[in-house]
């Protein structure tokens, strides 16, 4: 039996429309009509606008930029808790952010600081001292100065060194997460993730938002412009038998076949005392056993046991980007390699190189420093992120 769909009565339609109108008065309905009425709805541009992750704060929750600082709230925080960690009066912090002292904060919520406080530093869980700066402005010597501290156990979360300063937007009356996201051409989801918004994207007047930073476009290798016609490649080599016949093969008598011993082909003596070089991207800077392995966030490199005075070799060809010492007078050497790769060496002395020198793979750059035990600390970094050196050494 076929069931007929009954039309919605006119009075019910009017009632539904009235409910929508009442709801619209209570809270703005923010439909994303990008194609306008009568056109297609297109949200693909927002999906294509990929953004980076929010920088990691230091142990106090502070993210510091050249022009402003913010604090990131933890689960269960009030404005008083945040004020106590950053060292500002709770009333001043609440007034600046348009929030009441008793109001609970969401985990990850961004609280703008009305004035600057002490900069993040290694003492507060940051890699270096000072605000986050663009990558091009970060001196590799500054990065190297903290390398030895990272050789010891450190907190798993370390505040970022470099990045782009995002726009800081103050919410005005009537604005929603959707209208702000459209204003800056970012997705509402990324806006919520950067600012710890709830599932309803709730905002308050006077709230400060960090606008997500657009991700750098992925590098795509340029296609080969050459077009090779079929048959126009390298000529096929002519076999030797085409020029002259192969020599006749003379087999030994059957009764002596088992007595024939094959002799290896003679190899020219070029003075090579060790096996051929490995195809690995880098060589071990010293020979010895690894006494401490790579562990992201705890040990950003490997520690290689070696007697004091052992020659330390450059793991790969490059240029010496920095030669510095930390507060304990331990020497740190940073060598820059192609593709934004850095190798870092600590616990060495008697250097035979200086900043700016070009070095070759396997070239001696110094000696292992005396210690108890004596060892070399070795790191490999891709940009500013540490990677397991064994991936380059094997």
């Amino acid at each position: 039996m076929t069931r007929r769909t009954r039309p919605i009565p006119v009075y019910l339609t009017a009632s539904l429309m009235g409910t929508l109108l009442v709801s619209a008065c209570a809270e703005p309905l923010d439909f994303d009509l990008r194609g306008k009425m009568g056109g297609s709805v297109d949200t693909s541009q927002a999906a294509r606008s990929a953004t980076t992750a929010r920088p990691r704060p230091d142990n106090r929750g502070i993210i510091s930029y050249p022009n402003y600082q913010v604090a990131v709230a933890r689960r269960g925080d009030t404005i008083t808790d945040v004020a106590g960690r950053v060292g500002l009066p709770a009333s001043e912090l609440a007034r600046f952010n348009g929030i009441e002292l008793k109001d609970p904060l969401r985990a990850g919520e961004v609280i703008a600081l009305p004035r600057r406080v002490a900069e993040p530093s290694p003492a507060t869980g940051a890699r270096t001292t000072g605000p986050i700066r663009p990558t091009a402005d970060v001196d590799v010597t500054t990065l190297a100065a903290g390398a030895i501290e990272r050789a010891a156990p450190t907190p798993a979360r370390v505040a970022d060194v470099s990045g782009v300063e995002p726009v800081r937007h103050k919410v005005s009356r009537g604005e929603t997460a959707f209208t702000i996201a459209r204003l800056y051409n970012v997705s509402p989801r990324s806006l919520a993730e950067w600012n710890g918004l709830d599932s309803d994207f709730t905002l308050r007047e006077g709230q400060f938002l960090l606008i997500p930073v657009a991700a750098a476009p992925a590098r795509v290798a340029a296609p080969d412009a050459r077009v090779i016609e079929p048959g126009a490649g390298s000529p096929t080599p002519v076999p030797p038998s085409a020029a002259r016949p192969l020599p006749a093969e003379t087999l030994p008598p059957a009764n002596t076949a088992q007595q024939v011993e094959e002799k290896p082909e003679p190899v020219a003596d070029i003075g090579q005392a060790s096996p051929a070089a490995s195809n690995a991207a880098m060589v071990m800077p010293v020979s010895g056993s690894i006494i401490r392995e790579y562990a992201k966030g705890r040990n950003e490199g490997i520690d290689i046991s070696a007697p004091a005075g052992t020659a330390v070799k450059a793991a790969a060809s490059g240029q010496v980007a920095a030669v510095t010492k930390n507060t304990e007078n331990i020497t740190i050497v940073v060598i820059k390699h192609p593709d934004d790769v850095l190798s870092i060496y600590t616990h060495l002395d008697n250097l035979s190189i200086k900043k700016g020198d070009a070095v070759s793979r396997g070239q001696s750059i110094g000696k292992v420093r005396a210690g108890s035990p004596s060892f070399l600390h070795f790191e490999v970094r891709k940009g500013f992120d540490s990677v397991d050196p064994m991936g380059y050494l094997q």
Side-chain angles (χ1 to χ4, degrees), residues 251-295:
L251 296 176
N255 59 350
T256 61
Q258 299 300 324
Q259 303 175 6
V260 176
E261 180 181 355
E262 294 184 0
K263 295 183 179 180
E265 290 188 21
V267 179
D269 183 3
I270 58 174
Q272 181 175 326
S274 59
S278 168
N279 291 327
M282 293 183 175
V283 297
M284 289 288 288
V286 292
S287 297
S289 57
I290 297 175
I291 58 176
R292 193 173 178 208
E293 297 181 341
Y294 172 83

Side-chain angles (χ1 to χ4, degrees), residues 38-62:
S40 60
V41 178
D42 181 12
T43 60
S44 60
Q45 181 60 37
R48 286 195 295 267
S49 301
T51 56
T52 63
R54 186 182 68 189
R56 291 170 292 187
D58 71 356
N59 297 341
R60 301 168 298 170
I62 290 179

